[in-house]
Amino acid sequence: MRTTGTTETTGAAGAAHEGRGPVRYGPLAPDSGLPALPELVAVLAEAAGRTAPEPPGGGPVLREAACGYWSRRGLPAHPQEVAVAAGAQPLLLALLAAHGGDVLMPRPHPASWAPQARLLGRPVFQVPTPAECGGVPDLYALLETVRRVRAEGGTPRLLLLSIADDPTGTVAPPELLREACEAAVGEGLHIISDETWRDTLHRPHETVPLSPAEMWPDDVTVFFDLAGALTPASWPAAVARFPATPGGAARRARTVDHLTALGALVAGPVAAAAAHALDEPPAVTARVAEAAALHARVAAAVHHVVLAAGALARPPQAGRHLYADLGPLRRGLGARGVGDSMELEEFLGERLGMPVPGGHRFGDELGALRVRLATGPLLGSTPERRTESLTAVEPLELPHVAEGLSLLTAALGELH
């Protein structure tokens, strides 16, 4: 049997610090690297005179828009089953606080997940992922972890997972997702499904993003950050969908209570833009598709560079990032004083001129030489260059994109 996850209370590197702050916090999710959609900017500007924030949990217009978004994806919802917050991190914190119990999550996992549980004083148990993808736990490792936690007196009650994953950029195959969720529900765990990246598929006609809420509607809470595909990261808004059960209603009420205490209320102008984005008018859906196609091409090029250098990475399937394992280059890295993921982060960050967060930020062991590579920084450093990247017929041939890929090729080429 595979090795099960371990309890995390201080992060993979403890309280160690480095130039960008404590390694147990951050980094932020990969940014799109693109200018805001003009249509959304116009909606935001028109609502700039709204001086009051949305009520706790979001107003009726915003929640209705979220229901429409989910209904178009086979997840019908009523506004009373939806809550909106000013960003994914406070929303997840409120969700965890509303549920109670020990938390299980796959390893690696989004950098913000473990800190949210840590703030609540909750034990976190990390479960290895299958070879095919990230985002979901390996079935047998999950069952063994639940058994062990209970044997040690713990109370596992929550499983966090993501159907399209940060940091790995992969999408869980339906059969693996079904197996993991069936096991979790059978063990009495409630599932919180992060679906932030479901609209960023690189091959939308070939990849099926299946939500656990389609299979176990009474046992799954879904949430997503609009910054994944719909709105700029600087306009914080995230939405949760609760089961249509008495338990789901109670958890929603507790979540809204916690959001109120946190002051995580969506700003009025942001709410207007978010509702417009959730309605998915033609300009929004076109931008989502264009951005996903652009990041898919750049991610494929980055993946090629990584493999050509002798490193490893799963083929990226969603989002604007991929997860590279430079373990095969350990000898060359060691000759340059790089022996762990903190040092690897610093080494590549200096050479590429952009953040390259190490695997320790995502729950991986410090000694594993893994990093998340984002595609957004390769699209240009100015709004004009980013727009050019979006509209170019051959974005990889643009000088600034080609230069970024060349820098990565040179940095990895040093290690031979």
Side-chain angles (χ1 to χ4, degrees):
M1 181 172 293
R2 297 177 64 173
T3 304
T4 58
T6 56
T7 307
E8 178 184 312
T9 56
T10 59
H17 288 63
E18 46 90 37
R20 297 188 181 91
V23 298
R24 58 181 180 170
Y25 298 119
L28 298 176
D31 186 75
S32 72
L34 297 172
L37 180 66
E39 182 171 308
L40 291 181
V41 173
V43 173
L44 184 79
E46 186 177 350
R50 289 181 56 178
T51 58
E54 291 282 286
V61 173
L62 185 51
R63 287 185 284 118
E64 283 278 6
C67 290
Y69 170 91
W70 271 310
S71 293
R72 291 188 292 275
R73 287 155 179 79
L75 294 174
H78 187 275
Q80 292 303 314
E81 298 157 7
V82 172
V84 190
Q89 294 191 17
L91 179 57
L92 179 56
L93 181 68
L95 289 172
L96 295 174
H99 282 80
D102 298 344
V103 182
L104 281 71
M105 61 183 67
R107 183 181 66 227
H109 50 73
S112 64
W113 283 8
Q116 305 306 314
R118 188 182 302 115
L119 286 172
L120 297 169
R122 301 281 178 77
V124 172
F125 296 89
Q126 301 181 97
V127 186
T129 56
E132 294 86 345
C133 66
V136 300
D138 175 82
L139 168 64
Y140 298 105
L142 173 64
L143 292 171
E144 173 60 19
T145 301
V146 171
R147 183 203 64 77
R148 179 175 57 81
V149 171
R150 287 182 175 147
E152 295 173 355
T155 55
R157 292 180 182 168
L158 276 177
L159 171 64
L160 269 64
L161 55 79
S162 54
I163 61 173
D165 184 45
D166 172 20
T168 66
T170 59
V171 178
E175 62 275 13
L176 296 184
L177 180 66
R178 184 183 298 273
E179 288 177 354
C181 292
E182 185 174 21
V185 171
E187 292 293 335
L189 303 180
H190 188 80
I191 297 169
I192 297 180
S193 176
D194 182 349
E195 302 187 3
T196 294
W197 303 102
R198 70 171 295 157
D199 294 324
T200 66
L201 300 180
H202 293 180
R203 295 180 177 84
H205 300 297
E206 301 175 15
T207 309
V208 180
L210 181 65
S211 172
E214 298 179 50
M215 299 176 282
W216 290 276
D218 294 347
D219 300 293
V220 179
T221 298
V222 175
F223 82 98
F224 75 97
D225 188 343
L226 271 69
L230 297 176
T231 59
S234 58
W235 305 354
V239 190
R241 175 188 181 274
F242 296 83
T245 63
R251 285 191 289 270
R252 180 191 180 275
R254 291 196 295 272
T255 298
V256 172
D257 281 344
H258 294 306
L259 292 174
T260 304
L262 292 168
L265 311 181
V266 181
V270 171
H276 188 79
L278 286 165
D279 285 338
E280 299 183 288
V284 170
T285 55
R287 166 58 74 87
V288 169
E290 291 164 357
L294 171 61
H295 284 286
R297 296 188 69 176
V298 178
V302 172
H303 184 246
H304 175 76
V305 170
V306 169
L307 296 187
L312 304 173
R314 296 185 180 101
Q317 298 172 291
R320 28 197 189 246
H321 51 280
L322 57 85
Y323 201 53
D325 183 352
L326 274 62
L329 306 178
R330 185 176 293 275
R331 178 176 295 180
L333 287 166
R336 287 156 181 80
V338 177
D340 60 33
S341 60
M342 286 180 64
E343 295 166 345
L344 178 59
E345 174 181 292
E346 199 70 25
F347 174 83
L348 287 180
E350 289 177 356
R351 281 156 179 77
L352 301 180
M354 66 182 193
V356 186
H360 57 285
R361 297 183 181 268
F362 309 105
D364 264 333
E365 295 181 0
L366 186 61
L369 295 172
R370 301 187 183 113
V371 291
R372 187 185 70 189
L373 297 170
T375 52
L378 300 177
L379 304 183
S381 57
T382 66
E384 293 76 18
R385 285 187 172 182
R386 295 165 187 163
T387 300
E388 186 182 12
S389 297
L390 183 64
T391 57
V393 176
E394 297 293 343
L396 300 181
E397 296 179 4
L398 294 174
H400 56 273
V401 177
E403 180 183 3
L405 292 170
S406 295
L407 283 173
L408 177 60
T409 300
L412 298 181
E414 286 185 41
L415 308 177
H416 291 282

